Amino acid sequence: MNEFSFSNCRPALQRVAYLAFGLSCLFTSGAWGQINSSIKTGCAGAISAPMAQIAAPYQRALAALNGSEVGWCAIASESSANTPSEAAFWEFSSAAFVFHALRGRKELTPTQLTAVREILTRIPGLGNPPTRLKQIDTALYVHMRTLAAQDSTEAMVLIDTIEQYSPAVFKTLMRRSTRWGDADDN
């Protein structure tokens, strides 16, 4: 007759413990990858090629400004650039992060200025991009207001999404205007 002994169960329990530990590491690393994902790396596959193309100059400017991408990938996961309107709202989201990173600055380094001017050269009708910080701020603000004015309802949904995923960026936007999506200037 065989006697029951915990020592006989030890190898099976160890295998179960190793399996559980391995699975927890796998799931944790997947979650960690989502947390640490970046626009530069495509948000762990959450953004399409057109979205990455739109966001690239904004990401470079944000990196030069040492700004935060917190929430940008989460917003990307709820966005697309399949239509001109969707592309405009994705660009608005991207611009919001640079706009936030510019707040409170007194001056820009040459590297920062070059990166921000890359964005400004893409704005239709702007002509020669400004070099003074106040004018850069105004140009980016007007560009964002123009993008948001394409569809006021969609702009408000996007603002709510920004508030959910990046409260600091949302606060910066609200300090500047409470009328995003409204075609009238305030």
Side-chain angles (χ1 to χ4, degrees):
M1 178 166 138
N2 288 340
E3 260 185 48
F4 177 76
S5 165
F6 282 107
S7 62
N8 293 340
C9 294
R10 185 171 293 156
L13 289 174
Q14 284 177 332
R15 282 191 297 271
V16 169
Y18 288 135
L19 178 62
F21 178 74
L23 287 173
S24 70
C25 287
L26 179 66
F27 291 128
T28 302
S29 68
W32 187 255
Q34 292 295 325
I35 292 169
N36 287 327
S37 61
S38 166
I39 292 292
K40 187 175 184 177
T41 60
C43 295
I47 64 173
S48 65
M51 290 173 68
Q53 185 177 8
I54 291 167
Y58 293 97
Q59 195 283 326
R60 286 189 290 273
L62 194 62
L65 294 165
N66 295 319
S68 172
E69 287 189 15
V70 171
W72 202 359
C73 284
I75 293 166
S77 70
E78 295 189 15
S79 302
S80 71
N82 297 329
T83 67
S85 176
E86 290 171 339
F89 284 109
W90 171 240
E91 185 163 1
F92 175 87
S93 299
S94 300
F97 281 83
V98 173
F99 192 66
H100 174 67
L102 285 170
R103 82 197 179 301
R105 291 185 182 270
K106 301 291 185 224
E107 59 184 38
L108 297 176
T109 67
T111 302
Q112 292 169 335
L113 181 60
T114 299
V116 172
R117 288 189 78 197
E118 180 185 359
I119 294 168
L120 299 176
T121 59
R122 299 178 57 191
I123 298 174
L126 184 59
N128 191 22
T131 56
R132 296 181 56 216
L133 190 55
K134 177 91 171 128
Q135 294 169 336
I136 289 170
D137 181 73
T138 300
L140 190 56
Y141 170 74
V142 169
H143 177 57
M144 292 172 60
R145 285 293 301 263
T146 302
L147 292 169
Q150 291 185 27
D151 182 338
S152 61
T153 303
E154 193 62 34
M156 294 318 301
V157 169
L158 180 57
I159 292 292
D160 288 343
T161 303
I162 292 171
E163 180 180 23
Q164 178 183 359
Y165 293 119
S166 191
V169 172
F170 172 78
K171 286 178 186 173
T172 298
L173 294 175
M174 289 300 107
R175 280 187 197 114
R176 185 61 185 262
S177 175
T178 57
R179 297 171 56 183
W180 294 101
D182 185 349
D184 292 335
D185 194 16
N186 63 343

